[in-house]
Amino acid sequence: MQIGPIKLPVPFCQAGLAGYSDRAMRLVARRRGCPYAVTESLLDITLLHGGKGLENSIDINDEDHPIAGQIIGSEPDQLARVAQILYAHRYDVIDLNFACPVKKIKNKARGGHMLRDLPRAVEILKAVRDALPPQVPTTVSLRRGYDDSGESTDAFFQILETAWSLDYAAVRVHARTVEQKYAGPSRWPFLKDLKARYPDQTILGSGDVFTAEDAVRMLGDTGVDMVWIARGAIGNPWVFKQAAALLESGSALLPPSIHEQRDALREHFGISMEIHGEQLAGRRMRKQGIKYARFHPDASQVKVDFIAVTSLRTWQQVLDKWYSHDGPGVWPDPRAADEVNGEENQSCEAA
Ligand SMILES: Cc1cc2nc3c(=O)[nH]c(=O)nc-3n(C[C@H](O)[C@H](O)[C@H](O)COP(=O)(O)O)c2cc1C
């Protein structure tokens, strides 16, 4: 599996997830088998204005490769400049977000709304490609349509064909429409048809991947080249190894033990604190902790305790109370990963 010149050992990646997939989440996952990760979507104007949190949002280190910097915006020239900024910060791939369902500015398409503004979408694809040296891979993240209309499907294919004609290295297709946001099924047969139509292009499949089993099933059912693991990776940095084991040997690994969970939680909070400081780390890690809790035999009580976390001290208290004694973890109800707070109104931009 390759994204342009970048060879990847297993066909699974960690998705861009606003509010989650910062360097802390990425490193914890990479140390447990994640081969490729994507940033939360970075808004062009925030980066251009060197705004608050700029360094927190885009700083990467040697361990955080290969990485795609995902950019979102409405203006071709601004997105082109932002692509150059990320390239200068040693990003390996630039991913354009044409997938986010939230519209923030009047009369100007952004994210998934590009499917309703083809000329703008095409201009952005060109401007970003032209702004970078040819060896730097560019990719685009798309929904399968704005809605279920034929017009919307046509727009999807025009964007796709433009991307191929400009030598985009891959597209990532979330097989829900923009109108669906994150609810209802992701239409995997659409991915299968797409891969059959473009067998020589690299396609990443996305939507309804909550477990390692789902990831491997998506490969088999659709033939996509790589699976984009999103909600299924929150609180489960082991999912990449689990999926690789399933793919290679057909057998599932054991769920992470209590001490494996404790170690990941501790590490995750530590890196988050380095990036964001204790207070913000406390807020961000609360929602991560809730998701990790699903592998604990006392999941519902652990979750309640994570909800009350505000600081390193209160975080440590939860670890001391629930994670001191080692023992087997449990496989959660797979659909429990489906309840990410506030996702209906998720902004798709790095906080
Ligand atoms: C909380 C949240 C934040 C997200 N942020 C981003 C983002 O920044 N960039 C992006 O391309 N997709 C984003 N997505 C979409 C996911 O990457 C993924 O495409 C979507 O959740 C479908 O996959 P799933 O059903 O397997 O979770 C986000 C989704 C959620 C739930």
Side-chain angles (χ1 to χ4, degrees):
M1 160 66 209
Q2 276 182 240
I3 306 266
I6 302 167
K7 290 200 174 68
L8 300 168
V10 287
F12 308 107
C13 76
Q14 183 171 278
L17 286 158
Y20 292 89
S21 65
D22 59 3
R23 179 155 46 92
M25 181 172 172
R26 297 194 301 265
L27 292 188
V28 172
R30 286 185 195 280
R31 292 171 189 174
R32 289 161 181 77
C34 168
Y36 175 57
V38 183
T39 64
E40 20 192 351
S41 62
L42 304 164
L43 182 63
D44 56 354
I45 39 179
T46 309
L47 292 190
L48 287 174
H49 295 160
K52 191 167 128 280
L54 171 77
E55 291 307 322
N56 293 346
S57 302
I58 70 169
D59 253 10
I60 47 176
N61 62 15
D62 289 346
E63 208 186 337
D64 202 8
H65 290 281
I67 182 165
Q70 190 188 67
I71 55 177
I72 189 165
S74 303
E75 301 299 341
D77 58 326
Q78 289 182 186
L79 284 160
R81 274 156 54 212
V82 166
Q84 288 171 335
I85 292 175
L86 293 184
Y87 173 59
H89 275 75
R90 299 195 308 119
Y91 278 78
D92 305 292
V93 176
I94 302 299
D95 185 48
L96 266 174
N97 182 321
F98 286 0
C100 178
V102 177
K103 189 172 182 176
K104 280 244 181 108
I105 19 179
K106 278 201 181 116
N107 305 325
K108 274 194 189 170
R110 179 194 283 180
H113 297 262
M114 289 299 163
L115 285 155
R116 300 220 288 188
D117 190 349
L118 258 184
R120 186 184 292 276
V122 169
E123 253 194 86
I124 291 172
L125 285 165
K126 283 188 184 144
V128 168
R129 188 55 274 173
D130 287 349
L132 296 165
Q135 73 276 12
V136 180
T138 49
T139 58
V140 57
S141 278
L142 279 169
R143 296 281 183 141
R144 69 171 168 82
Y146 184 84
D147 53 28
D148 283 315
S149 67
E151 201 185 342
S152 173
T153 307
D154 287 350
F156 170 89
F157 281 103
Q158 286 191 49
I159 292 176
L160 203 71
E161 294 282 349
T162 305
W164 301 145
S165 72
L166 292 169
D167 279 339
Y168 272 62
V171 298
R172 191 269 297 192
V173 180
H174 178 181
R176 290 189 174 90
T177 62
V178 174
E179 275 193 347
Q180 273 183 278
K181 295 188 175 172
Y182 298 100
S186 172
R187 200 177 281 174
W188 288 13
F190 183 87
L191 298 175
K192 184 179 180 189
D193 293 347
L194 202 62
K195 189 59 207 172
R197 186 162 163 176
Y198 301 105
D200 300 330
Q201 301 288 2
T202 303
I203 297 175
L204 282 69
S206 164
D208 282 342
V209 180
F210 296 105
T211 62
E213 286 77 10
D214 289 340
V216 173
R217 198 163 46 80
M218 178 183 266
L219 289 175
D221 285 6
T222 69
V224 292
D225 301 280
M226 183 172 229
V227 179
W228 171 278
I229 309 184
R231 283 174 288 185
I234 301 177
N236 186 5
W238 304 278
V239 69
F240 307 95
K241 262 211 181 100
Q242 293 163 352
L246 258 188
L247 187 64
E248 277 155 30
S249 65
S251 49
L253 296 176
L254 292 173
S257 70
I258 299 296
H259 276 178
E260 284 171 321
Q261 296 175 43
R262 178 201 60 191
D263 294 348
L265 284 158
R266 194 184 269 163
E267 200 176 305
H268 201 149
F269 197 100
I271 308 172
S272 185
M273 214 162 65
E274 278 168 27
I275 304 172
H276 305 291
E278 183 176 346
Q279 206 181 13
L280 184 54
R283 273 213 304 278
R284 290 178 70 101
M285 286 306 296
R286 199 183 297 156
K287 56 190 184 177
Q288 296 271 5
I290 293 166
K291 289 294 163 191
Y292 275 98
R294 69 195 195 276
F295 291 98
H296 197 285
D298 297 306
S300 49
Q301 293 167 68
V302 179
K303 191 169 156 181
V304 168
D305 282 355
F306 272 127
I307 290 170
V309 164
T310 52
S311 61
L312 176 60
R313 190 180 56 80
T314 47
W315 176 264
Q316 192 54 50
Q317 282 169 352
V318 182
L319 298 200
D320 291 346
K321 180 170 169 191
W322 295 109
Y323 293 89
S324 301
H325 300 291
D326 202 5
V330 295
W331 287 121
D333 168 2
R335 300 299 136 185
D338 202 0
E339 2 149 315
V340 172
N341 298 339
E343 66 200 42
E344 278 298 302
N345 296 311
Q346 184 59 48
S347 76
C348 310
E349 284 151 33

